[in-house]
Amino acid sequence: MNYLNNQIYFSLVETLAKFAEDKEELDIRLRTELSLSGGACGVKSEANPNYLAALDQAIKLLDECDNLEQFRQKLMSIK
């Protein structure tokens, strides 16, 4: 299931991508959000598991891209 199809999760990732200056910065922002939301270190969290899955999918999509612009283009193709 592609959790980035959810408009709320998509908008969050899109906003993070807009503010990032490069691929590395976006990677840090996404991983920080995932970590703070309880998606890392085995921390039990109240975060929606679909939200955590959307962040994870965004990180995987970013890993497939050579740069931030390519990520933005792939993200827009999901929309």
Side-chain angles (χ1 to χ4, degrees):
M1 176 178 228
N2 189 346
Y3 296 98
L4 290 173
N5 284 328
N6 179 303
Q7 185 59 40
I8 294 170
Y9 306 147
F10 178 89
S11 294
L12 171 77
V13 172
E14 181 182 37
T15 299
L16 291 174
K18 284 180 183 176
F19 286 110
E21 293 186 19
D22 56 33
K23 179 181 174 180
E24 291 76 22
E25 181 181 345
L26 180 57
D27 186 58
I28 291 168
R29 288 177 184 265
L30 289 169
R31 291 180 189 280
T32 300
E33 180 65 22
L34 182 63
S35 177
L36 292 175
S37 297
C41 302
V43 175
K44 190 171 184 177
S45 173
E46 297 295 321
N48 182 320
N50 293 341
Y51 172 60
L52 299 177
L55 289 171
D56 189 54
Q57 286 179 346
I59 291 168
K60 288 176 183 172
L61 181 64
L62 183 62
D63 287 343
E64 296 171 5
C65 297
D66 294 328
N67 55 52
L68 182 58
E69 188 57 38
Q70 186 181 23
F71 174 81
R72 289 175 177 152
Q73 290 171 0
K74 284 188 174 190
L75 187 64
M76 293 311 290
S77 71
I78 293 172
K79 191 175 185 179

